[in-house]
Amino acid sequence: MSPRCTWRSQESTLQVRLILIIPRTSNSNLIRIGLVDVNGYHQPDAHLDGFDRIDDLADVRIGVYWPYFRDATQDIVSANERALETLKAKGATVVDITLPHLQATDKAHKICIMTEFATGMQSFWKKHENDIPGDARLSIILGRSFSGKEYLAAQKLRRHLVEAWTTIFEEVDVIVTPTTGIVAPALEGRIADMKIVSELMRFVSACNFLGNPGLTVPVGYTNDTNLPIGMQFMARHWEEHKLLRVGHALESTLQRQGIVPKKPARFFDVLQDLQK
């Protein structure tokens, strides 16, 4: 289950609605727990429509906000531009779009996630402060510093942005960006480097903030360090099937061309390690 909380002011009354993403059953079209409407966002049944239609993407519209798309290191931008050409060769149409208020989106996302993180850790803070890693401890400290007015302003911006992105998705099926602004950095001696965290999170914070589904696909490796480069796709709420179709089309083509191997150059099998 994935709980989501939405706060809405209505006729001077603050209402809290908790939406639980749960499987539907034939005997339950609408489940209510007290005042909680678990189907308040009209979640459709999950499906994989079009997953295997990967040779012809003529019906797919890919939105690109070029200043944002190219706000990464050159090797990342180049690999993503080549991947975009691969999708165009399959018939996909690239549509120029504008994503509004990206800097404000990033700041509002940080305010919300850090405040909620700090609130959730409040009962553990005094007893376990020194046990928490430096980067997480810094996030908690920052989260404790934000005011209620700042958090409320961030939530109001979120509502505005959800509506703006919904309008954008009337013109495109998916929005594409690089996955990260930089490739994975070395970890030796690096503690709580918020600049690097911001570079790594640059393109994923919007989906995390607005609740849109996202998918990342490997599109190449850096020439000097052989580190992976990814391309991120974002879609309208509940349209994960579009992400999976486009991601499937791109990944299978790049694997067939030998650009991306089926097993990454640097691979760690978590499941195998757990079985030891």
Side-chain angles (χ1 to χ4, degrees):
M1 295 185 181
S2 300
R4 293 182 180 176
C5 289
T6 60
W7 297 78
R8 180 178 300 178
S9 178
Q10 193 173 65
E11 296 181 358
S12 301
T13 302
L14 186 63
Q15 298 181 340
V16 181
R17 174 171 291 179
L18 176 63
I19 291 83
L20 300 175
I21 301 176
I22 62 174
R24 290 171 178 244
T25 66
S26 58
N27 297 324
S28 177
N29 292 325
L30 182 63
I31 304 173
R32 300 187 66 87
I33 305 175
L35 296 177
V36 178
D37 177 0
V38 298
N39 287 323
Y41 278 161
H42 307 291
Q43 178 189 359
D45 294 330
H47 62 86
L48 292 173
D49 288 357
F51 180 72
D52 290 322
R53 291 193 292 112
I54 59 176
D55 293 325
D56 184 3
L57 300 180
D59 58 331
V60 176
R61 302 162 299 169
I62 300 175
V64 181
Y65 182 33
W66 289 107
Y68 191 42
F69 185 93
R70 292 177 172 143
D71 189 16
T73 58
Q74 187 55 52
D75 50 358
I76 290 177
V77 173
S78 297
N80 275 264
E81 287 179 340
R82 289 192 296 268
L84 193 56
E85 289 300 319
T86 298
L87 293 172
K88 289 172 64 177
K90 286 181 169 291
T93 301
V94 174
V95 180
D96 291 352
I97 62 172
T98 298
L99 297 175
H101 312 303
L102 287 174
Q103 290 186 346
T105 301
D106 181 63
K107 289 180 173 59
H109 173 253
K110 287 184 172 68
I111 290 172
C112 289
I113 197 170
M114 289 181 180
T115 300
E116 292 162 7
F117 181 31
T119 302
M121 292 294 294
Q122 187 170 349
S123 60
F124 302 94
W125 179 249
K126 289 184 178 181
K127 186 176 180 180
H128 298 288
E129 177 181 356
N130 294 329
D131 300 325
I132 301 173
D135 54 347
R137 188 160 63 247
L138 179 58
S139 294
I140 293 174
I141 292 171
L142 290 173
R144 289 160 61 94
S145 71
F146 295 122
S147 69
K149 287 184 177 180
E150 289 170 321
Y151 183 80
L152 181 58
Q155 291 294 332
K156 288 182 177 180
L157 178 61
R158 172 187 277 174
R159 177 62 181 270
H160 168 74
L161 291 170
V162 166
E163 294 175 353
W165 279 55
T166 299
T167 300
I168 293 171
F169 279 117
E170 293 175 359
E171 306 297 328
V172 299
D173 298 294
V174 296
I175 295 172
V176 65
T177 68
T179 302
T180 60
I182 58 174
V183 294
L187 294 178
E188 292 84 353
R190 195 179 301 280
I191 300 177
D193 193 327
M194 298 305 290
K195 180 179 180 181
I196 288 180
V197 172
S198 294
E199 293 280 1
L200 293 172
M201 292 286 292
R202 174 178 300 154
F203 299 106
V204 300
S205 59
C207 269
N208 195 39
F209 188 44
L210 305 181
N212 292 85
L215 175 74
T216 182
V217 175
V219 294
Y221 292 85
T222 56
N223 294 325
D224 52 349
T225 57
N226 203 32
L227 289 170
I229 297 171
M231 170 177 271
Q232 177 186 231
F233 298 97
M234 298 171 279
R236 189 198 304 261
H237 298 107
W238 313 125
E239 293 190 348
E240 288 86 350
H241 64 288
K242 293 183 178 180
L243 297 178
L244 294 169
R245 179 191 175 195
V246 177
H248 184 201
L250 179 59
E251 187 172 45
S252 60
T253 301
L254 296 181
Q255 288 178 352
R256 189 167 58 249
Q257 295 174 348
I259 297 174
V260 175
K262 290 188 177 181
K263 179 178 287 188
R266 301 187 183 188
F267 180 75
F268 181 76
D269 194 329
V270 178
L271 295 178
Q272 186 176 18
D273 184 69
L274 290 174
Q275 293 172 358
K276 292 180 180 179

